[in-house]
Short mmCIF file of all heavy atoms in Angstrom, two decimals:
data_model
loop_
_atom_site.label_atom_id
_atom_site.label_comp_id
_atom_site.label_asym_id
_atom_site.label_seq_id
_atom_site.Cartn_x
_atom_site.Cartn_y
_atom_site.Cartn_z
N ALA A 157 86.57 117.76 104.24
CA ALA A 157 86.85 116.96 105.43
C ALA A 157 88.17 117.44 106.01
O ALA A 157 89.04 117.93 105.29
CB ALA A 157 86.90 115.49 105.08
N ARG A 158 88.36 117.26 107.30
CA ARG A 158 89.49 117.90 107.99
C ARG A 158 90.72 117.00 107.99
O ARG A 158 91.26 116.65 109.06
CB ARG A 158 89.07 118.28 109.40
CG ARG A 158 87.95 119.31 109.42
CD ARG A 158 87.41 119.49 110.82
NE ARG A 158 88.38 120.03 111.75
CZ ARG A 158 88.61 121.31 111.94
NH1 ARG A 158 87.95 122.22 111.23
NH2 ARG A 158 89.51 121.71 112.84
N THR A 159 91.19 116.61 106.81
CA THR A 159 92.38 115.78 106.69
C THR A 159 93.27 116.33 105.60
O THR A 159 92.81 117.02 104.67
CB THR A 159 92.03 114.31 106.37
OG1 THR A 159 91.48 114.24 105.04
CG2 THR A 159 91.04 113.75 107.37
N ALA A 160 94.55 115.99 105.68
CA ALA A 160 95.49 116.40 104.64
C ALA A 160 95.13 115.79 103.30
O ALA A 160 95.32 116.40 102.24
CB ALA A 160 96.91 116.00 105.04
N GLU A 161 94.60 114.57 103.34
CA GLU A 161 94.25 113.89 102.09
C GLU A 161 93.04 114.53 101.42
O GLU A 161 92.98 114.61 100.18
CB GLU A 161 93.97 112.41 102.37
CG GLU A 161 95.19 111.61 102.77
CD GLU A 161 95.61 111.80 104.22
OE1 GLU A 161 94.82 112.38 105.00
OE2 GLU A 161 96.72 111.37 104.58
N ALA A 162 92.07 115.00 102.21
CA ALA A 162 90.92 115.68 101.62
C ALA A 162 91.37 116.97 100.93
O ALA A 162 90.84 117.33 99.87
CB ALA A 162 89.89 115.99 102.70
N ILE A 163 92.34 117.66 101.51
CA ILE A 163 92.89 118.85 100.86
C ILE A 163 93.64 118.45 99.59
O ILE A 163 93.52 119.10 98.55
CB ILE A 163 93.84 119.59 101.82
CG1 ILE A 163 93.12 119.97 103.11
CG2 ILE A 163 94.43 120.82 101.15
CD1 ILE A 163 94.03 120.49 104.19
N ALA A 164 94.40 117.36 99.67
CA ALA A 164 95.19 116.91 98.52
C ALA A 164 94.31 116.55 97.34
O ALA A 164 94.73 116.69 96.18
CB ALA A 164 96.05 115.72 98.91
N LEU A 165 93.08 116.11 97.59
CA LEU A 165 92.20 115.73 96.49
C LEU A 165 91.78 116.92 95.64
O LEU A 165 91.22 116.73 94.55
CB LEU A 165 90.96 115.01 97.04
CG LEU A 165 91.20 113.59 97.55
CD1 LEU A 165 89.94 113.03 98.19
CD2 LEU A 165 91.67 112.67 96.42
N LEU A 166 92.05 118.14 96.09
CA LEU A 166 91.80 119.31 95.25
C LEU A 166 92.80 119.38 94.11
O LEU A 166 92.53 120.01 93.09
CB LEU A 166 91.88 120.59 96.08
CG LEU A 166 90.85 120.76 97.20
CD1 LEU A 166 91.16 122.04 97.98
CD2 LEU A 166 89.44 120.79 96.64
N ALA A 167 93.95 118.75 94.26
CA ALA A 167 95.01 118.83 93.27
C ALA A 167 94.71 117.92 92.08
O ALA A 167 94.20 116.81 92.26
CB ALA A 167 96.35 118.44 93.88
N PRO A 168 95.01 118.35 90.87
CA PRO A 168 94.83 117.48 89.70
C PRO A 168 95.74 116.26 89.80
O PRO A 168 96.89 116.36 90.24
CB PRO A 168 95.22 118.37 88.52
CG PRO A 168 96.06 119.46 89.12
CD PRO A 168 95.56 119.67 90.50
N GLY A 169 95.22 115.11 89.40
CA GLY A 169 96.01 113.88 89.44
C GLY A 169 95.88 113.12 90.73
O GLY A 169 96.39 112.00 90.84
N ALA A 170 95.23 113.70 91.75
CA ALA A 170 95.03 113.02 93.03
C ALA A 170 93.65 112.39 93.05
O ALA A 170 92.65 113.05 92.79
CB ALA A 170 95.19 113.99 94.18
N VAL A 171 93.59 111.09 93.35
CA VAL A 171 92.33 110.37 93.46
C VAL A 171 92.32 109.59 94.77
O VAL A 171 93.38 109.28 95.34
CB VAL A 171 92.09 109.41 92.27
CG1 VAL A 171 92.05 110.18 90.97
CG2 VAL A 171 93.16 108.33 92.22
N SER A 172 91.15 109.26 95.24
CA SER A 172 91.03 108.52 96.49
C SER A 172 91.65 107.14 96.35
O SER A 172 91.46 106.46 95.35
CB SER A 172 89.56 108.39 96.89
OG SER A 172 88.99 109.66 97.12
N GLY A 173 92.40 106.73 97.38
CA GLY A 173 92.96 105.39 97.40
C GLY A 173 91.91 104.36 97.79
O GLY A 173 90.77 104.70 98.16
#
Side-chain angles (χ1 to χ4, degrees):
R158 297 170 64 87
T159 67
E161 291 79 12
I163 303 170
L165 287 174
L166 297 176
V171 299
S172 298

